[in-house]
């Protein structure tokens, strides 16, 4: 705060002003200047006052509401000793974060009361009230203002009231109030209430005899309503949702939220569905210093189509027990195989067919950790199609030790002991099959690795040695169709694995298309050696053939899991180049190509027979990204099969993103595997075009869409079309989505949502579907405002 010489505009800080009214009077005579100097001198020698000029803002000043310091400012000040101080011409009073303004302010000592006339304003913690006059008690922080307008700045809420009563402690009562988040002059929507009570401490507003107006038309009325004005939770009914779906018809969701305690809450959702019946949703969340979790249970008491009760249960829990031991639970279960495909509202959820049912204990220190758990599952077979059931681990013990730098060496050791149990797999006719699975059994595994990373400014070299040991026991083996091989009840294997990873980084500065650019050339060689060990007599609990990708080129084992380790004498060669903008440091072009070379034949198979594959080269994998042109990004990934002499995988696409809320992406995806003879829906062979976009049609209207078309099957896999419109204080979204959820079955979702900014949304939200379908989609909703200390400083 500064002293202004023009018009004698002065700022004075008063310290401990309350005890002596005469001290306050004398102080303001000083601030008034030479016109009252003589009158001050008559009292000044007898007044024990302490004056301090505030020439700058003290950022460490206390914000405690008990602060008794008062700050006053005006162009003219007058005083009646021991009775009143009168401020005129841009008058202002500040105390403990509260600001009062007016054309004329009268402060009465005996009542500790401020009376403001003409353009009266009172502001505190982001809330501003304005009106023709104001009566306010500073210490009590209470008062009243007739014919008031108000603004709550953090949420852009504004409104008016016939009378505002300031009740202290941040509580406000309004009579005949109107509230909205629309800008001044825009009355797209508003709420009227006979009374409105605002509690800033609890960040809630309660109204009575309320009416919601949309475009000037009343569309909803309630004798009582409540809504949050901040982030604090509050019990009550949440905004209902409405939607339509081809599987369960027109539906309404009516959620009730119960804020049981700061660390407990419960949400109940009533969901009537025109095709299915009445569903009850339940969600309970809890949090304690040593544990927390969430329990969800949805039940449909009687499905009108299946004539059965249907439900889903999900429980996630984490807990710290005694001595640092941790407990974890992830349990999911549904009533039947088709539950998820029937009641999910997006493609990702509907494709889930293995639900975890896990519980475990864990303990860890700096260099080691251990866990003991039971890992089960529920395997679904939608529409009686076959789904391979994973093994259950009942139980599994894991111990892991790691040293990152032990005299320059990196050490890693994993010990695992598991009891595997497996039920029957069934094909689509319900017949049990077991070609890729053994029976139940035990496995003890110990993998130890030692490596010595070495590196310099332009090179790295990492030799590594691993020894993998596994023992199997109590195997319920039998002869299998593939080779009629016996699975031994007790067997073991030990395999050493050696790898050597190396690379160089060359750099040079150059000019490309007039841009200063740093180019890199990064060759990399990766050698792996694994001697052949016969494994066709061993069970297969968790191994499968790894999908070949760029990361897999630098893995010694072509299988994932621990029951199969391929023999290897192979070298991977890769080359990467990058073009980096010298000004911004961003890659505007990068390209990588790699291939694996085998010096011996592959002999280990995933099943119980041996092979002798003589293909000495892996597929060639290449990737590139190009962002030279502003706002454009092009991507290309290819895999060329040296066995089939053709491209086996291709992903190519381009994306244009010139501004926020504006992006278009077009991608082509192609997979070819002549050995995959499964039905079309489950087949990995694909040839698809995928177009997605979010694009402005006008300044406030945006078109949304996705079109995923299978060229091979000549049908649409997933499609979505929608609109999103933003008009200041409200947003409207609508979308229609149709996708294939199982063989021969599709689902169509209808979304429509009206969001009244700051109040809530009505309808069914398409945002989750849009985020999953449209790459780079950004909702138009304004983000919550993080309020800083001086953001709304009056």
């Amino acid at each position: 705060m500064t002293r202004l010489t023009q018009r004698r505009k002065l700022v004075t800080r008063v310290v401990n002003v309350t005890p002596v009214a005469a001290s306050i009077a004398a102080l303001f005579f000083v601030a008034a200047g030479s016109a009252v100097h003589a009158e001050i001198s008559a009292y000044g020698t007898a007044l024990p006052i302490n004056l301090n000029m505030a020439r700058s803002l003290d950022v460490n000043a206390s914000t405690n509401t008990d602060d008794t310091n008062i700050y006053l400012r005006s162009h003219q000040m007058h005083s009646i000793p021991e009775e009143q101080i009168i401020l005129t011409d841009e008058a202002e009073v500040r105390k403990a974060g509260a600001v009062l303004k007016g054309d004329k302010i009268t402060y009465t000592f005996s009542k500790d009361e401020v009376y403001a006339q003409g353009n009266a304003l009172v502001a505190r913690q982001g809330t501003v009230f304005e009106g023709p006059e104001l009566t306010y008690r500073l210490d009590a922080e209470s008062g009243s203002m007739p014919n008031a307008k108000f603004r709550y700045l953090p949420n852009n809420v504004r409104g008016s009231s016939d009378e505002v009563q300031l009740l202290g402690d941040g509580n406000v009562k309004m009579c005949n109030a109107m509230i909205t988040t629309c800008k001044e002059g825009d009355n797209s929507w508003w709420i009227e209430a006979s009374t409105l009570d605002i509690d800033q401490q609890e960040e809630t507003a309660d109204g009575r005899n309320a009416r919601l107006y949309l475009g000037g038309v009343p569309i909803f009325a309630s004798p009582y309503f409540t809504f949050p004005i901040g982030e604090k939770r509050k019990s009550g009914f949440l905004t209902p949702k409405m939607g339509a779906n081809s599987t369960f018809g027109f539906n309404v969701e009516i959620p009730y939220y119960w804020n049981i305690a700061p660390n407990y809450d419960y949400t109940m959702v009533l969901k009537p569905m025109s095709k299915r019946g009445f569903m009850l949703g339940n969600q309970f969340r809890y949090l304690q210093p040593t544990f927390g979790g969430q329990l969800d249970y949805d039940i449909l008491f009687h499905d009108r189509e299946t004539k059965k009760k249907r439900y889903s249960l999900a429980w996630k829990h984490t807990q710290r027990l005694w001595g640092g031991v941790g407990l974890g639970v992830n349990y999911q279960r549904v009533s039947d195989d088709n539950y998820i495909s029937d009641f999910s509202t997006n493609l990702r959820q509907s494709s889930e067919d293995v639900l975890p049912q896990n519980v475990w204990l864990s303990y860890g220190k700096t260099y080691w950790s251990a866990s003991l758990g039971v890992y089960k599952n529920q395997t679904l077979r939608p529409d009686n199609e076959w789904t391979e059931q994973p093994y259950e681990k009942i139980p599994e013990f894991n111990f892991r030790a790691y040293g990152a730098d032990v005299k320059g060496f990196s050490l890693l050791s994993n010990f695992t002991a598991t009891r595997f149990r497996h039920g029957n797999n069934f094909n689509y006719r319900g017949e049990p099959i077991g070609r890729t699975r053994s029976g139940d059994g035990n496995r003890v595994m110990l993998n130890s690795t030692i490596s010595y990373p070495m590196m310099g400014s332009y090179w790295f070299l990492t030799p590594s040695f691993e020894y993998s040991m596994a023992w199997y026991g109590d195997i319920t083996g039998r002869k299998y169709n593939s080779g009629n091989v016996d699975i031994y009840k007790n067997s073991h294997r030990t395999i050493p694995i050696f790898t050597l990873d190396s690379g160089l980084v060359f750099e040079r500065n150059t000019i490309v298309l007039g841009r200063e650019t740093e180019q890199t050339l990064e060759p990399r060689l990766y050698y792996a050696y694994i001697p052949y060990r016969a494994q066709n007599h061993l069970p297969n609990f968790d191994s499968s053939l790894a999908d070949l990708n760029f990361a897999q080129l630098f893995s010694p084992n072509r299988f994932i899991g621990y029951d199969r380790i391929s023999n290897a004498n192979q070298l991977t060669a890769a080359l990467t180049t990058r073009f980096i903008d010298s000004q911004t440091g961003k890659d505007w072009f990068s390209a990588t190509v790699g291939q694996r070379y085998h010096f011996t034949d592959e002999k280990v198979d995933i099943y119980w027979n041996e092979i002798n594959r003589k293909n000495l080269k892996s597929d060639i994998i290449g990737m590139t990204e190009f962002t030279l042109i502003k706002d454009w990004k092009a991507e290309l990934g290819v895999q060329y099969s040296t066995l089939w002499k053709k491209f086996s995988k291709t992903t190519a696409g381009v994306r244009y993103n010139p501004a926020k809320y504006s992006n278009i992406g077009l991608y082509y995806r192609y997979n070819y595997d002549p050995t995959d003879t499964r039905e079309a829906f489950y087949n990995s062979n694909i040839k698809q075009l995928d177009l997605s976009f979010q694009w402005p049609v006008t300044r406030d209207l945006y078109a949304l869409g996705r079109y995923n078309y299978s060229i091979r099957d000549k049908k649409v896999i997933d499609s979505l079309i929608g609109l999103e419109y933003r008009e200041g204080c409200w947003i409207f979204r609508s979308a229609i989505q149709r996708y294939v959820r199982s063989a021969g079955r599709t689902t169509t979702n209808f979304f429509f949502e009206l969001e009244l900014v700051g109040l809530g949304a009505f309808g069914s939200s398409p945002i989750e579907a849009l985020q999953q379908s449209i790459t780079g989609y950004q909702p138009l909703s304004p983000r919550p405002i993080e309020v800083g200390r001086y953001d709304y400083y009056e």
Side-chain angles (χ1 to χ4, degrees), residues 3-4 7-14 23-37 40 49 51 53 72-79 85 87:
R3 177 172 180 171
L4 304 181
R7 299 184 60 190
R8 294 195 300 245
K9 185 172 183 179
L10 305 174
V11 180
T12 304
R13 180 178 179 184
V14 182
S23 300
I24 301 175
L27 168 64
F28 282 80
F29 286 134
V30 171
S34 58
V36 293
H37 179 74
I40 295 174
I49 62 175
L51 306 180
M53 295 299 297
L72 305 143
R73 183 175 65 179
S74 71
H75 292 292
Q76 297 182 16
M77 299 184 184
H78 305 279
S79 174
I85 294 175
L87 312 178

Side-chain angles (χ1 to χ4, degrees), residues 194-215:
S194 59
T195 61
L196 182 65
D197 298 317
I198 297 178
D199 188 333
Q200 291 184 353
Q201 300 297 324
E202 296 298 326
E203 297 182 352
T204 60
D206 299 324
R208 286 172 173 77
N209 299 321
R211 300 167 300 281
L212 172 62
Y213 289 82
L214 187 62

Side-chain angles (χ1 to χ4, degrees), residues 589-643:
F589 177 80
S590 65
T592 301
V593 62
Q595 187 179 22
R596 177 190 293 160
Y597 301 87
H598 300 271
F599 303 115
T600 58
D601 298 342
E602 296 176 349
K603 296 182 179 181
V604 180
D605 188 36
I606 194 70
Y607 306 125
W608 289 273
N609 58 313
E610 291 188 350
I611 60 174
N612 193 20
R613 184 178 290 116
K614 296 183 180 296
N615 183 36
L616 300 181
K617 296 180 182 179
S618 75
D619 294 352
I620 301 173
I621 296 178
M623 299 183 296
T624 183
E625 290 187 0
F626 183 77
T627 57
L628 177 62
I629 303 175
K630 183 182 179 181
D631 306 325
W632 288 84
K633 181 178 181 180
E635 302 173 70
L636 174 64
V638 296
Q639 180 174 328
Y640 181 81
S641 173
T642 57
L643 177 63

Side-chain angles (χ1 to χ4, degrees), residues 44 50 71 74 110 126 223 229 243 249 269 285 291 309 429 449 467 526 543 616 642:
N50 184 11
Y71 301 81
S74 71
S110 59
I229 59 173
V269 180
R285 300 187 301 177
F291 67 87
K309 181 176 75 173
R429 292 184 295 272
T449 304
Y467 203 69
Y526 180 85
S543 284
L616 300 181
T642 57

